[in-house]
Every structure is written in C-alpha cells, then in structure tokens.
Amino acid sequence: HVPATSDQTEEMRGLTPLLSCSLVALAGGAPASLRSLQIHRQGSVVGPKDRTPLYSEENSFTGSTRTTFHSVTMVSLANAAFNILRPDEAIVWQVRVPRFLWELLIALVAALASGPGAVPATFVLLAFMTASTALVDIFLWAPIFAITAKFETCTGEGFFDRRPRVCVNDYAKGLGRMMVSIQCLITGIFYLMTAITAWGNFCAVRDKQVAKRNAEAMQHIFLSQEEAENSLINTR
C-alpha cells in the first residue's frame, strides 16, 4: 500500500473532532450529561469541566439525586398497627388481616427500594403497590367510613329483630370512623406521591443505564479510530 503523506495525516486528525461531534449528535436520545462529553486525545472519556458526575441518578419528578423510602416504611408500619388495633366492633379482626399483611409488604418493598443495590424492578413494584393502595383509599374507603360514621349504637334495627329500637350514644365509634376516613385520605395522598417518586427513580436508573451503554459504545469507536490513525502513521 502507499504510505500516507503528512498532509493526509493532518487531514485525518482534522476529521477527528467532526466525527466526535457527529457521533454525539446521533445520540440525541441520550441525556444532556452524555452529550456534553469531552473526548481526550488518547481516547479516554472524561466528564464536563465542572466535574459533574456523568451518570447522575436525578429523579425527574423530585429533582433529587438520591431518594430513599424510609418514611414509607415507617408510615406503612404505623398504618398496619393502627388498622389492626383500632377499636371497632363492627369490623372483626379476620377482615383486618389482609390489609395488615398488605401494609407489611409495602414496608418491605420500600425498605428494599431504599437500599444502595435496589434494582429498577423494585421501584416499579413499589410504584404499582402504592398507586393502587392510594386510589382505593382515596376513592373507596375514605368515603365509605365517612358515610358510616355514626355517634350512636342501636339495637332492634334488623329486619327480623322484633325488639324495640333502642339507641345509645357511642362517640368512640363515630370518632373512630372519622379518624379512619381522614387516615385513608392522608395516607392515600402520601402513597400517591410515593408512587410518583418511585416511578421517577425507575426512569432515572433506566436513563443511567442507557447513557452508560451509549458512552461505552462511543468510547469503543473513538479508541478504534485512534488505533487506526496510529497504525496509519506507523506505516509511513
């Protein structure tokens, strides 16, 4: 083959920045941190000049780079204790067990999502669990307990009950139902916000993985280009 002249070598070196800009432009779906990469002459990838981390797990919904769900764990445990221990003779303990176990599962998933090695599937699971719980609490249980909040207990109300209707004041029953209605509304909004935050964490981790793969692919291209340029120079 014909050795490359000095003019051809300089021309190839001049094309290097153009190729770099084209490759970065083609990665239009990558985050801004990836598009602001600076390519070193030796082919190594370095971050922006302000030393901002290249793969920052920033939650697009909350704006924070590190989101934990310890508060969700504590709220779920408190919710479970309140639901199983609150006095209400009309709701037997067998009916309370499924919600009690559900709250414990939310607390467990939230604790797993707060760990440093949490996988994206954990955030998705937490988002779906808390979103479904929030919608049921806000639009079903909160109105039902508010409507059935009565401050008296009556006997002789059944269709087949022949006894005369007698009612006594029962403020504990009415206040208990109202407290449950308020609890469902507040924790429902809290769980809805948790679902949004967990989904934002999933999107952040997913974008980080995509950006990392794109950066590794571009670094491999730049290293191959540098090797080809060096071999062309060595053939002179």
Side-chain angles (χ1 to χ4, degrees):
H1 57 272
V2 180
T5 63
S6 59
D7 295 338
Q8 291 174 334
T9 303
E10 293 298 328
E11 183 179 357
M12 291 188 62
R13 290 177 178 175
L15 290 175
T16 302
L18 296 178
L19 178 59
S20 303
C21 295
S22 300
L23 289 172
V24 175
L26 287 175
S33 59
L34 179 60
R35 293 195 295 270
S36 63
L37 285 178
Q38 296 176 345
I39 309 303
H40 194 267
R41 266 309 281 177
Q42 299 302 324
S44 61
V45 180
V46 296
K49 292 182 179 180
D50 58 356
R51 298 184 184 276
T52 304
L54 178 58
Y55 310 116
S56 60
E57 298 183 28
E58 182 175 347
N59 192 317
S60 57
F61 297 121
T62 62
S64 59
T65 56
R66 177 58 180 157
T67 305
T68 59
F69 299 94
H70 298 302
S71 59
V72 182
T73 302
M74 292 186 291
V75 169
S76 299
L77 294 177
N79 228 11
F82 181 78
N83 286 330
I84 201 70
L85 297 177
R86 65 182 177 83
D88 193 337
E89 296 179 356
I91 303 177
V92 296
W93 68 269
Q94 291 90 344
V95 179
R96 306 184 189 192
V97 170
R99 180 58 186 262
F100 174 77
L101 297 177
W102 180 255
E103 294 287 350
L104 293 183
L105 288 176
I106 292 178
L108 176 61
V109 175
L112 294 176
S114 301
V119 296
T122 308
F123 299 127
V124 176
L125 179 60
L126 181 62
F128 279 109
M129 291 179 70
T130 52
S132 59
T133 305
L135 295 178
V136 171
D137 282 353
I138 294 174
F139 297 106
L140 180 64
W141 293 125
I144 287 179
F145 279 102
I147 294 173
T148 57
K150 297 180 180 180
F151 293 88
E152 61 181 11
T153 300
C154 300
T155 57
E157 290 184 321
F159 183 78
F160 298 101
D161 196 342
R162 299 290 182 176
R163 295 177 300 173
R165 187 173 185 271
V166 179
C167 297
V168 295
N169 293 332
D170 191 350
Y171 295 103
K173 176 182 178 181
L175 291 176
R177 294 289 179 92
M178 292 300 298
M179 288 181 60
V180 173
S181 178
I182 296 173
Q183 174 204 5
C184 291
L185 184 60
I186 295 177
T187 56
I189 296 175
F190 177 79
Y191 280 156
L192 191 59
M193 183 62 186
T194 301
I196 296 173
T197 304
W199 186 257
N201 271 28
F202 163 72
C203 294
V205 174
R206 179 194 59 189
D207 292 345
K208 171 187 174 181
Q209 293 176 348
V210 171
K212 185 177 180 180
R213 287 196 298 267
N214 290 342
E216 290 175 350
M218 289 198 300
Q219 185 177 5
H220 177 72
I221 293 175
F222 294 136
L223 288 174
S224 301
Q225 179 191 4
E226 188 74 21
E227 292 176 358
E229 181 182 343
N230 291 336
S231 62
L232 185 61
I233 294 174
N234 293 333
T235 57
R236 295 183 56 188

